[in-house]
Amino acid sequence: NQEFCASYLRARECQADLIFEDCLEIADTQVIGEKVTTGPQGDTIVTADMIEHRKLRIDTRMRMAGKLAPKKYGDKLDVDHSGVIDVRFESATPSQS
């Protein structure tokens, strides 16, 4: 069904756009949390921005958006070359001192 197919594709693109907007919100919103590191001196607790967690959330969503709308959010680079490449080799002449 062509009509259903077109509607479905538009819905997937809208979903990808919403996921992208969610990524911007995650990037712009600071999240404070506690990081616990266990070492020879015992546990160390640091309260800081959970930047690694936010990065993981954004990367996961961007991968999803790339699958939903690959032309808009995908990683594929379209490198198309048309034309001629001219390569010339010249021998180096020793300089005279």
Side-chain angles (χ1 to χ4, degrees):
N1 184 337
Q2 294 292 338
E3 186 178 324
F4 176 77
C5 183
S7 178
Y8 181 76
L9 289 175
R10 279 194 306 274
R12 296 280 288 217
E13 288 180 9
C14 288
Q15 183 182 12
D17 291 340
L18 289 172
I19 289 172
F20 183 77
E21 289 176 18
D22 191 28
C23 289
L24 293 176
E25 181 68 27
I26 292 168
D28 292 340
T29 305
Q30 187 177 35
V31 177
I32 303 297
E34 291 183 348
K35 299 177 188 179
V36 180
T37 305
T38 303
Q41 304 295 328
D43 290 346
T44 304
I45 300 174
V46 177
T47 302
D49 183 17
M50 303 301 286
I51 191 85
E52 296 89 4
H53 180 66
R54 290 177 26 215
K55 183 176 181 344
L56 175 65
R57 292 177 65 200
I58 291 169
D59 288 346
T60 302
R61 284 164 176 76
M62 286 306 295
R63 283 192 188 114
M64 280 182 60
K67 299 293 182 188
L68 294 170
K71 289 181 181 177
K72 191 170 187 179
Y73 298 112
D75 291 334
K76 181 181 175 189
L77 297 175
D78 186 18
V79 179
D80 189 18
H81 173 72
S82 60
V84 177
I85 297 176
D86 186 21
V87 179
R88 297 179 189 183
F89 294 98
E90 294 182 16
S91 62
T93 58
S95 63
Q96 297 179 354
S97 303

